Structure formats: structure tokens, C-alpha cells
Amino acid sequence: LASACGGDDRPSVEAWVPGWNRIVVAIPTSEELGNPPERAVCSTALGVVRSESGDLFPTPDLVIDDVVADWIRIAEDLLFECPPASQRVPSLEYAYGELARLEAEIAAVLAIDTESL
């Protein structure tokens, strides 16, 4: 059912996933950030997220368009504030938890789309 939401102008899962993976792996782990977080690490990752995120739209499935956009917003907040301390993203723990939750949601939709091929 989820794949029925996608149109012909949307990329295939196979074509889209490499770009998604590049952005996901660009997010440093909390260990890579350090305590306190290293600004240079955040800046480098933020550059990757911002330069690569435009290639993620459209997504392979309409169902995940907003989820991917939310993931990008949280990643940008995490990396721009370094560490985050806003009302929307109050802490590193919150940011990493939300990124993981959204990644799982995206992975579930992509798995359904791949199975329905």
C-alpha cells in the first residue's frame, strides 16, 4: 500500500538509499563529538547534511517525505547548535533518540516498498 503513494517521478528505493546513507553516516556519534562537543566535528557534519539533503527529495515514497524533512531539521539543529539546547531539540540525548526513531520509521517504509516490488 505504501508504494502506491509514490508516483512515477519518485526515485526507486535503490536509487535513493545511497544518498540517504551518506547523510546518516555523516552524523557523528556522541563519542565522536566529545564532551563538550567539538565545534569542528559538528561543522563538518552540518556541511554534509546541508549539501546532500536536497538530493533526498522527492523520496521514494510520499509517506516518508515529512519524516525525512523532520530528520534533516533535527540533524541540523543538533549540528548547528552543537550541543543543542533549544525548545525543539533540548539535548544531545533527545536529538539522537529522535534521529534513531525517524530512521527506523524510514527503514520500515523502505522495507515495505522493497518487498512489494
Side-chain angles (χ1 to χ4, degrees):
L1 291 174
S3 63
C5 295
D8 291 337
D9 59 338
R10 291 187 176 270
S12 68
V13 171
E14 296 78 23
W16 185 83
V17 166
W20 170 244
N21 288 340
R22 278 192 300 275
I23 288 181
V24 170
V25 300
I27 303 299
T29 65
S30 58
E31 292 80 25
E32 292 169 334
L33 279 181
N35 189 8
E38 271 189 61
R39 189 58 132 152
V41 173
C42 289
S43 294
T44 299
L46 180 60
V48 172
V49 170
R50 287 186 171 165
S51 67
E52 300 279 334
S53 63
D55 295 337
L56 296 179
F57 297 96
T59 68
D61 196 312
L62 177 66
V63 172
I64 59 172
D65 282 354
D66 289 341
V67 181
V68 172
D70 287 346
W71 188 96
I72 292 168
R73 276 191 293 274
I74 291 169
E76 287 179 340
D77 285 353
L78 161 69
L79 299 167
F80 183 78
E81 293 180 10
C82 193
S86 66
Q87 188 171 10
R88 184 169 57 180
V89 182
S91 68
L92 283 172
E93 295 78 22
Y94 177 85
Y96 283 116
E98 282 298 290
L99 291 175
R101 181 186 67 77
L102 295 168
E103 285 171 34
E105 194 172 329
I106 293 163
V109 171
L110 295 177
I112 291 169
D113 287 352
T114 301
E115 289 173 7
S116 66
L117 294 178

